[in-house]
Amino acid sequence: MERLQKVIANLGITSRRKAEDLIITGHVKVNGNIIKELGTKVDVNDIIEIDNKIINQEIKKEYYLLNKPPKVITSTNDEHNRKTVVDLINTEARIYPVGRLDYDTTGLLILTNDGELANILMHPKNKIPKTYVARIKGILTKEDIFNLKKGLVIDDRLVETNNFKVREKNYDGNFTIIEITIAEGRNHIVKKIFASLNHPVVRLKRTKIAFLTLDNLKIGEYRPLKLKEIKKLYSLK
Ligand code: URA
């Protein structure tokens, strides 16, 4: 149950303030009765009318692509009151992140209130590829590369790790930069892959989900997805 004025505002019909005015001045009916009380609670089964026109209570779907900053948690709320990715998006809609990036990981994250699309993107059978750029400790050896090409067993399950490019071997700094594309969504999977090779990840950024890239989005910036992008994501099912 939600307050009537909030439901009207969330549907994008008007602002919360104007919805309150409409209610007080007797323009709004719930289940056929004029309601002038601001605290009135309604749910999706209630029939709401404004000036005798029934409004469609179907939730307006929203889709965002965020360049997640570090030190923000991928969740809708946090028991320790840390900033969440949802706090970064200016919307009244109840959006949530699709999958997760670790607290210190940056990069591409999709947020939506469309459960069907979220399921498509997260379901393992759809094998949605995600690309990461990792800075790992130490210099990747021929043997490591052989192992990555073969695939690695992580927590008793094989991960395909053969889609990678070594971007930089930095002997002075003793690190390697590697781009790797993984088609599964287990938590901490990239860190686990490189930890198993004794090259712990020191920095991690997601640069791609399927065909979506970060483009010009700076860290902390976001943009709504375009209709054609949403359709293309649906077609990945
Ligand atoms: N793999 C990780 O280890 N961390 C992330 O945030 C994403 C993928």
Side-chain angles (χ1 to χ4, degrees):
M1 299 284 272
E2 274 306 354
R3 284 164 179 261
L4 183 54
Q5 61 268 36
K6 187 168 177 200
V7 170
I8 295 172
N10 281 359
L11 289 167
I13 292 165
T14 181
S15 67
R16 178 103 51 110
R17 179 79 190 77
K18 289 209 176 109
E20 288 175 358
D21 287 345
L22 287 173
I23 295 167
I24 296 166
T25 50
H27 289 264
V28 182
K29 282 186 191 165
V30 175
N31 302 326
N33 303 313
I34 291 180
I35 298 289
K36 290 187 174 179
E37 306 259 313
L38 283 182
T40 307
K41 295 211 167 163
V42 290
D43 68 19
V44 284
N45 298 314
D46 289 311
I47 295 170
I48 303 171
E49 292 170 70
I50 299 179
D51 292 331
N52 299 318
K53 249 177 68 189
I54 294 180
I55 60 172
N56 187 348
Q57 272 219 66
E58 254 176 55
I59 297 169
K60 192 170 141 254
K61 303 275 171 51
E62 295 189 13
Y63 308 82
Y64 298 96
L65 193 157
L66 167 73
N67 185 350
K68 178 193 172 292
K71 301 195 172 74
V72 176
I73 71 156
T74 306
S75 172
T76 50
N77 54 43
D78 179 45
E79 54 187 25
H80 305 296
N81 265 333
R82 286 173 300 181
K83 198 175 232 184
T84 74
V85 287
V86 174
D87 295 332
L88 301 174
I89 313 263
N90 184 15
T91 178
E92 291 278 320
R94 292 206 194 170
I95 54 165
Y96 47 85
V98 178
R100 75 184 296 229
L101 289 179
D102 293 332
Y103 188 61
D104 54 350
T105 301
T106 62
L108 208 157
L109 184 70
I110 294 170
L111 297 103
T112 183
N113 55 356
D114 181 348
E116 193 181 345
L117 185 68
N119 283 338
I120 291 173
L121 295 178
M122 286 194 288
H123 201 292
K125 80 165 191 270
N126 293 326
K127 294 192 172 210
I128 309 290
K130 296 169 203 88
T131 302
Y132 300 85
V133 174
R135 178 196 279 224
I136 59 175
K137 212 167 161 189
I139 304 296
L140 212 65
T141 62
K142 277 194 183 142
E143 194 190 343
D144 296 325
I145 288 175
F146 175 79
N147 284 325
L148 282 170
K149 283 187 177 159
K150 221 168 46 163
L152 292 162
V153 176
I154 304 288
D155 298 334
D156 299 328
R157 248 182 40 219
L158 184 74
V159 201
E160 283 179 27
T161 50
N162 57 347
N163 192 352
F164 67 91
K165 288 187 188 104
V166 177
R167 293 285 182 210
E168 183 184 344
K169 284 184 177 175
N170 191 311
Y171 291 89
D172 291 339
N174 191 34
F175 64 84
T176 304
I177 307 241
I178 181 164
E179 183 181 283
I180 186 161
T181 300
I182 311 275
E184 67 153 272
R186 276 190 269 167
N187 285 343
H188 318 302
I189 191 68
V190 177
K191 288 179 185 166
K192 285 181 173 176
I193 288 167
F194 291 106
S196 80
L197 297 173
N198 285 320
H199 293 288
V201 169
V202 285
R203 201 177 295 164
L204 187 61
K205 175 178 176 180
R206 183 155 67 193
T207 55
K208 217 170 159 197
I209 298 177
F211 57 89
L212 292 170
T213 61
L214 282 168
D215 296 324
N216 300 321
L217 280 184
K218 297 200 184 73
I219 214 141
E221 286 184 345
Y222 64 91
R223 67 165 176 90
L225 287 182
K226 301 186 182 102
L227 187 59
K228 68 170 188 234
E229 292 170 329
I230 298 163
K231 284 189 177 155
K232 208 164 161 192
L233 288 174
Y234 261 96
S235 76
L236 299 175
K237 190 174 171 178

